[in-house]
Amino acid sequence: MARVYVSSVISAPLGVVWDRVRDFNGLPKWHPRMRESRIEDGLPSDKVGCIRNFKLQNGDVIREQLLGLNDYDKVCTYGILESPMPITDYVATLRLTPVTDGDSCFAQWSAEFECATDDESELQNRLSSDVFQAGFDALKQHFGS
Amino acid sequence: MVKVVCSTVLSVPVEDVWKILRGFNRFDVWHPAMEVSQIERGDSPDRVGCIRKFRLADGSELREQLLALSDEEKTLSYCLLDTPIPLFNYVSHISLLPVTDSNGTFWEWKGRFDVPKGSADELTELVSKHIYNAGFQAIRKHFETQQTIDNGPHNFSRVPE
């Protein structure tokens, strides 16, 4: 089981950052690498079990299923159903936690997956920098931190 | 049941902060509210179940028991056994997480407890301000001082007033 963990501090209140990331169909609105997302079967994007079907900027199509959404603890968990990456059993979690002594929040994005040993470090690097850190960088830029 | 959650971000690596916080008998060295601390029965301070007995600046004595300690997760839990302050069923958790994109530390310190009727606000402020946030400030100041005088990451000395 390979693991990726990236965390950051976003200089905006927890609720504001959560509003921006909780929409499971909203990746293209805030993540620079994603475009053209839709939820399959016309389901609402906060219905646990719904599937988002989106494209990366390079045209690759990824299908991911919402496994858990927690507005109270500000956690979103999802798994990959289909992707061009040589990866299986991929489950990722995005979690926001308040930083109480400042008007900011602590953001964690992690994933576990199975892959061939030879591919592991490259996949870890791609996910941590191109997906997770790129997302945090976009949030930091948006919120001016 | 009252719940208090406080958190902060420090600009030092999580390993350096954990080296200090895991010392269950060393809070008196850095926390401004704590005077003299000792572990009962000569136990080791990282032995889960050990009891620390310490004195506050006002002379009152408290006893707290270590409930959990994890170097892997960088978490620490303890409860109050005896206290002159009316905090009942007090359990506290400390957890540290890395901020990977700045090599910093996210530190959460939370507690839950029961209080006599009418004193929830006062005791909540006591815990959040004078214990948790005062602790954050002391550790932050410690690392700032350390960076200035550069006395090495592991040479922890008394936090200046």
Side-chain angles (χ1 to χ4, degrees):
Chain A
M1 182 71 76
R3 191 160 188 271
V4 173
Y5 176 88
V6 172
S7 58
S8 187
V9 177
I10 315 288
S11 295
L14 180 76
V16 177
V17 182
W18 181 243
D19 280 348
R20 193 157 175 82
V21 302
R22 96 177 271 284
D23 179 5
F24 196 57
N25 196 32
L27 272 181
K29 273 181 268 178
W30 65 273
H31 200 297
R33 285 196 71 232
M34 317 293 178
R35 61 181 167 106
E36 292 181 43
S37 178
R38 66 180 175 87
I39 302 290
E40 296 183 358
D41 302 322
L43 294 174
S45 65
D46 50 8
K47 182 180 166 69
V48 173
C50 75
I51 295 167
R52 66 181 171 195
N53 187 315
F54 62 97
K55 277 186 187 159
L56 303 185
Q57 295 295 2
N58 68 7
D60 286 346
V61 173
I62 297 180
R63 294 175 68 233
E64 291 177 333
Q65 184 166 34
L66 183 62
L67 301 176
L69 184 69
N70 185 330
D71 275 328
Y72 184 73
D73 288 325
K74 312 281 187 282
V75 186
C76 174
T77 304
Y78 59 92
I80 288 182
L81 300 179
E82 284 176 44
S83 90
M85 291 182 284
I87 223 168
T88 58
D89 302 311
Y90 177 100
V91 174
T93 299
L94 175 60
R95 177 189 300 267
L96 302 181
T97 311
V99 178
T100 64
D101 74 350
D103 221 4
S104 59
C105 69
F106 175 57
Q108 301 174 81
W109 208 339
S110 60
E112 287 187 342
F113 57 89
E114 300 286 354
C115 64
T117 314
D118 288 351
D119 297 332
E120 185 173 316
S121 62
E122 198 210 323
L123 284 165
Q124 282 171 322
N125 289 339
R126 272 172 61 190
L127 288 165
S128 66
S129 62
D130 297 352
V131 183
F132 299 171
Q133 189 62 49
F136 287 156
D137 287 345
L139 289 174
K140 287 162 86 165
Q141 192 175 9
H142 177 79
F143 289 110
S145 45
Chain B
M1 181 73 73
V2 176
K3 289 181 182 171
V4 174
V5 181
C6 293
S7 55
T8 195
V9 175
L10 302 171
S11 57
V12 280
V14 69
E15 293 77 14
D16 293 352
V17 184
W18 181 240
K19 274 188 191 107
I20 296 171
L21 294 193
R22 85 181 291 285
F24 191 57
N25 193 36
R26 301 273 287 162
F27 279 47
D28 60 337
V29 175
W30 59 268
H31 200 293
M34 287 173 79
E35 295 263 299
V36 185
S37 175
Q38 67 177 80
I39 301 290
E40 295 185 355
R41 301 182 192 179
D43 267 340
S44 168
D46 53 8
R47 182 175 183 188
V48 173
C50 75
I51 295 169
R52 68 179 176 195
K53 185 176 181 176
F54 61 94
R55 213 170 55 220
L56 300 182
D58 66 4
S60 52
E61 283 199 339
L62 292 84
R63 293 172 71 235
E64 288 179 333
Q65 184 165 31
L66 184 63
L67 300 177
L69 180 71
S70 168
D71 283 325
E72 171 65 20
E73 298 185 324
K74 300 186 178 57
T75 57
L76 168 78
S77 304
Y78 58 92
C79 66
L80 261 173
L81 298 178
D82 293 314
T83 161
I85 305 162
L87 293 168
F88 305 114
N89 305 312
Y90 177 95
V91 180
S92 183
H93 306 276
I94 283 175
S95 98
L96 300 182
L97 286 162
V99 181
T100 61
D101 73 352
S102 65
N103 204 18
T105 298
F106 173 75
W107 174 6
E108 186 177 74
W109 199 348
K110 60 188 177 184
R112 58 172 177 77
F113 47 87
D114 296 308
V115 294
K117 209 174 172 185
S119 57
D121 288 349
E122 181 196 343
L123 290 169
T124 298
E125 184 177 319
L126 173 82
V127 171
S128 67
K129 190 174 167 188
H130 297 289
I131 301 178
Y132 300 170
N133 281 300
F136 293 162
Q137 282 170 32
I139 291 289
R140 180 174 286 112
K141 199 167 164 184
H142 161 69
F143 281 110
E144 282 168 4
T145 311
Q146 190 182 59
Q147 278 161 8
T148 312
I149 61 179
D150 193 29
N151 63 352
H154 315 314
N155 183 11
F156 187 77
S157 56
R158 178 165 279 274
V159 175
E161 295 299 321

